[in-house]
Amino acid sequence: MHGRTRFDTPVDISKRTFPSGASTVVVASGERFPDALSGSPLASLKKAPMLLVKKDSLPSSVVTELRRLNPKNIIVLGGPIAISNSTISKLKAHGEVTRIWGDNLYDTSAMIAQDWSGASSVFLATGQRFEDAMSLAAVAAGKNSPMLLTRKDSLPASTIRELKRLKPTRVYMAGGPIAISSAVERQLHQTVPNATVVRFE
């Protein structure tokens, strides 16, 4: 299952997974990876396909798929740095658009996680490299669990707030100390003391 470009592949997945259309579609940047990683579990939670767009344009394959899906709601992940307001205007031709974004990629992942009232499991990945996070995002989506982002050496304040609100009993970390330091692991134990921290490396 693959398309000609990174934008076509999600369209192919959408066609196979949602042959009868979808009431909600999640849209993320295909040029910046963090929002799409956090958005993958959200798409699963909403039972929605996730499509990728360019900052300043909608690929033709995405336009065709949006027409076929005929969604009522389109959830756009990321601010104008990721997806421009002109692209938002184009998306509005295909459904009611809601944009989820924060001041930076860490805040955006925390904003996305607010769709969960609570979560027994939370997945944590670095926002500074994508290799480890990509594989774990699929696991998070399969468990309907949110994925939060962290810096290598410290938990962002927005991530700490979400962890305290979600109250997970397990936190899964993506990657070894090169990706997420032992200092962050110690912060996790302080932030959610009743949670078991599991590192995938």
Side-chain angles (χ1 to χ4, degrees):
M1 187 185 300
H2 60 87
R4 295 177 301 280
T5 70
R6 72 181 74 177
F7 305 98
D8 297 332
T9 298
V11 168
D12 288 348
I13 294 170
S14 174
K15 287 177 180 176
R16 295 185 183 224
T17 312
F18 297 87
S20 302
S23 61
T24 300
V25 172
V26 175
V27 172
S29 169
E31 298 167 319
R32 296 161 53 93
F33 70 89
D35 297 335
L37 290 174
S38 298
S40 181
L42 178 67
S44 178
L45 180 72
K46 297 288 186 182
K47 296 180 171 57
M50 185 164 70
L51 301 177
L52 301 180
V53 301
K54 297 180 181 179
K55 177 182 178 180
D56 294 313
S57 66
L58 296 179
S60 59
S61 60
V62 173
V63 172
T64 300
E65 183 61 4
L66 284 169
R67 288 173 181 157
R68 185 192 71 80
L69 289 166
N70 191 28
K72 180 180 179 182
N73 302 300
I74 299 173
I75 301 172
V76 177
L77 308 180
I81 292 175
I83 299 175
S84 70
N85 289 329
S86 63
T87 300
I88 292 289
S89 296
K90 295 181 180 76
L91 286 168
K92 286 179 178 177
H94 303 282
E96 184 175 337
V97 174
T98 302
R99 192 199 280 269
I100 301 176
W101 64 295
D103 291 338
N104 53 54
L105 58 93
Y106 307 102
D107 292 350
T108 297
S109 74
M111 293 288 290
I112 292 169
Q114 287 178 15
D115 264 86
W116 282 261
S117 58
S120 59
S121 298
V122 169
F123 289 76
L124 186 71
T126 175
Q128 295 167 285
R129 46 184 289 176
F130 65 90
E131 297 89 344
D132 297 324
M134 281 181 65
S135 56
L136 205 59
V139 179
K143 289 182 173 290
N144 277 337
S145 299
M147 172 171 275
L148 295 170
L149 299 179
T150 182
R151 297 183 184 91
K152 175 185 175 181
D153 293 315
S154 65
L155 281 174
S158 56
T159 301
I160 290 173
R161 284 195 299 270
E162 271 307 286
L163 284 166
K164 288 181 176 179
R165 185 187 68 82
L166 291 165
K167 295 181 174 64
T169 56
R170 295 182 79 83
V171 178
Y172 297 95
M173 297 169 56
I178 293 176
I180 302 176
S181 70
S182 56
V184 168
E185 191 168 354
R186 288 193 294 273
Q187 272 189 286
L188 279 174
H189 287 294
Q190 294 167 357
T191 302
V192 279
N194 294 323
T196 299
V197 177
V198 180
R199 188 190 286 270
F200 287 101
E201 56 181 310

